[in-house]
């Protein structure tokens, strides 16, 4: 016979005892600190706050913790690379850019329109020689990129190889649910780089990685044993 803990049976006293054990919850619970966690790196915390409010869920920007913000916190407060080689090359959308700005992190790539084109012979030459690379890029951060292309991947690969940039990913989700179907996720965007790097995987900063929990703890400064 399966055993259900008493706090899952509707027992009021058992529920109260369980709730009193923790200070921080990563879901809604009256009287406790609330953190809404999402792996979607394409949106900023402000975007999600608006979405939650529109759904009738009162929330502040400070209560939202996305994988893009987790990445920003990890890069600025935990990784904390010395200047000047601490710029980030982004494979991803504006949500990542917004959250990196919130932590005063320099970045290139991302939604830069000059990268939304076919690669040409001159690109191959300049990337291979390093002439087209920013020497201050020390991190490659890969999220879900709706405009991923060969040129962007070439830059990301050579930043890792030539600059010895740290390879990070907002999350490892290979699929993204939408319209009752599955589409490529952030993990699928990182997959070509993983293959090019001989199976070397990025450090993952979204759910359910320990690094996201480290970033949440760094931001909210709570006691881990009570969350």
């Amino acid at each position: 016979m399966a055993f259900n803990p008493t706090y899952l049976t509707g027992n009021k006293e058992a529920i109260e005892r369980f709730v009193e054990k923790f200070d921080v919850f990563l879901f809604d619970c009256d009287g406790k600190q609330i953190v809404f966690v999402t792996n979607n790196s394409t949106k900023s915390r402000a975007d999600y706050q608006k979405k939650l409010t529109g759904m009738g869920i009162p929330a502040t920007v400070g209560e939202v913790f996305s994988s893009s913000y987790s990445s920003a916190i990890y890069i600025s407060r935990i990784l904390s690379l010395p200047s000047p080689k601490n710029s980030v090359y982004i494979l991803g959308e504006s949500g990542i850019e917004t959250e990196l700005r919130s932590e005063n992190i320099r970045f290139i790539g991302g939604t830069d329109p000059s990268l939304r084109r076919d690669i040409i012979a001159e690109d191959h030459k300049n990337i291979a020689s390093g002439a087209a690379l920013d020497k201050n890029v020390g991190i490659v951060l890969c999220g879900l990129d709706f405009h991923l292309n060969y040129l962007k991947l070439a830059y990301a690969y050579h930043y890792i190889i030539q600059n010895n940039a740290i390879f990070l990913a907002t999350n490892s989700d290979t699929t993204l649910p939408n319209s009752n179907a599955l589409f490529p996720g952030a993990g699928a965007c990182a997959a070509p780089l993983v293959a090019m790097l001989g199976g070397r995987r990025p450090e993952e900063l979204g759910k359910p990685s320990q690094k996201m929990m480290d970033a949440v703890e760094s931001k909210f400064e709570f006691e881990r044993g009570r969350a």
Side-chain angles (χ1 to χ4, degrees), residues 4-201:
N4 287 327
T6 53
Y7 59 80
L8 296 179
T9 64
N11 183 304
K12 184 176 183 296
E13 292 182 356
I15 293 172
E16 289 176 349
R17 286 196 301 271
F18 176 75
V19 170
E20 286 304 316
K21 290 170 60 179
F22 305 99
D23 291 325
V24 180
F25 282 79
L26 302 185
F27 52 86
D28 193 0
C29 183
D30 287 344
K32 297 293 181 176
Q33 186 173 351
I34 302 165
V35 183
F36 297 94
V37 181
T38 174
N39 264 357
N40 188 342
S41 66
T42 66
K43 297 183 184 300
S44 68
R45 290 172 296 152
D47 292 332
Y48 261 96
Q49 187 268 337
K50 291 177 183 176
K51 180 178 180 180
L52 289 166
T53 301
M55 296 168 61
I57 303 172
T60 66
V61 170
E63 292 171 336
V64 178
F65 210 90
S66 63
S67 63
S68 54
Y69 188 56
S70 172
S71 300
I73 291 292
Y74 181 79
I75 290 168
S76 68
R77 307 188 190 187
I78 299 174
L79 195 58
S80 192
L81 294 182
S83 182
K85 197 174 179 180
N86 56 1
S87 291
V88 179
Y89 176 77
I90 301 171
L91 286 177
E93 299 295 327
S94 62
I96 297 176
E97 296 175 336
T98 298
E99 301 307 348
L100 292 186
R101 286 192 194 99
S102 75
E103 288 293 307
N104 298 312
I105 299 169
R106 292 173 297 165
F107 63 85
I108 61 172
T111 62
D112 182 350
S114 71
L115 296 175
R116 296 184 184 179
R117 59 176 176 83
D118 292 339
I119 196 168
I120 60 175
E122 196 70 12
D123 293 319
H124 284 286
K125 177 182 177 181
N126 290 333
I127 292 173
S129 70
L133 302 182
D134 183 336
K135 300 304 181 184
N136 289 327
V137 168
I139 298 165
V140 169
L141 176 60
C142 184
L144 178 57
D145 192 326
F146 295 128
H147 305 90
L148 188 65
N149 60 25
Y150 192 96
L151 180 63
K152 290 183 176 184
L153 287 170
Y155 271 108
Y157 174 73
H158 280 274
Y159 276 124
I160 295 170
I161 296 301
Q162 295 192 42
N163 280 24
N164 198 30
I166 297 170
F167 185 20
L168 303 177
T170 59
N171 65 87
S172 60
D173 296 347
T174 55
T175 58
L176 174 72
N178 196 318
S179 302
N180 298 314
L182 293 177
F183 293 86
C189 294
L193 291 173
V194 173
M196 293 173 69
L197 294 167
R200 174 182 163 190
R201 298 193 59 81

